[in-house]
Amino acid sequence: SQQGEEDPQALSIQEGENATMNCSYKTSINNLQWYRQNSGRGLVHLILIRSNEREKHSGRLRVTLDTSKKSSSLLITASRAADTASYFCAPGQGGSEKLVFGKGTKLTVNP
Amino acid sequence: NAGVTQTPKFQVLKTGQSMTLQCAQDMNHEYMSWYRQDPGMGLRLIHYSVGAGITDQGEVPNGYNVSRSTTEDFPLRLLSAAPSQTSVYFCATRGHSTDTQYFGPGTRLTVL
């Protein structure tokens, strides 16, 4: 298992703007997941992208994966105050291996 | 279907006391894990289990014990609490056929 590194550490935007956060990792992966954590709560799974996929959409979320650069990005379009949360990526090998999380990106969406 | 439940929600201990944090799931997931989260930090893996009777250490296992006698339960034991164990503890589960982890609501522990 390996830890992803999210960038930036903090991001503050206005409601309606798009938010982009990035994740880098070190070794080859089978998939990469993004999770959201609202203040004081448990993490909630947002989206999983497999190593043979380059882009995936889910509602206002768009995830890209570039395995040659060992990086992923999460784009939230038309952000809302309710999107205020910390976002974590988790690169994975699949199977029963443990997931390791980084420090996350703290997103603040100002109304 | 409750998903992943954790008890208690809050706990205050004195240094040297022992306690068990409970984690239960009703999704029949094989994989369960415990994380701790400190302010400004990500989640750090304490212990995990890939099935009943099987446990293994994560990144920060010292000071914690686990056992997995059933699929449903994965308790985390602090034998002698220390102030450095003040943290928020999350339990997570994952099924064999999925990579998605499901997290409990957390236990906020303060050790004085």
Side-chain angles (χ1 to χ4, degrees), chain A residues 28-89:
Chain A
S28 63
I29 59 172
N30 177 274
N31 61 66
L32 187 140
Q33 302 179 61
W34 285 91
Y35 288 79
R36 182 188 75 230
Q37 183 182 33
N38 291 95
S39 181
R41 312 288 289 272
L43 275 67
V44 174
H45 180 259
L46 292 176
I47 195 165
L48 179 151
I49 186 166
R50 300 203 181 278
S51 59
N52 61 354
E53 298 174 305
R54 289 297 166 257
E55 189 170 310
K56 198 163 181 179
H57 296 255
S58 176
R60 293 184 296 111
L61 304 180
R62 174 182 162 236
V63 169
T64 62
L65 179 64
D66 187 335
T67 53
S68 66
K69 294 182 179 178
K70 292 186 173 57
S71 67
S72 173
S73 67
L74 171 67
L75 168 68
I76 304 174
T77 60
S79 63
R80 305 165 181 168
D83 294 325
T84 294
S86 291
Y87 293 81
F88 297 86
C89 70

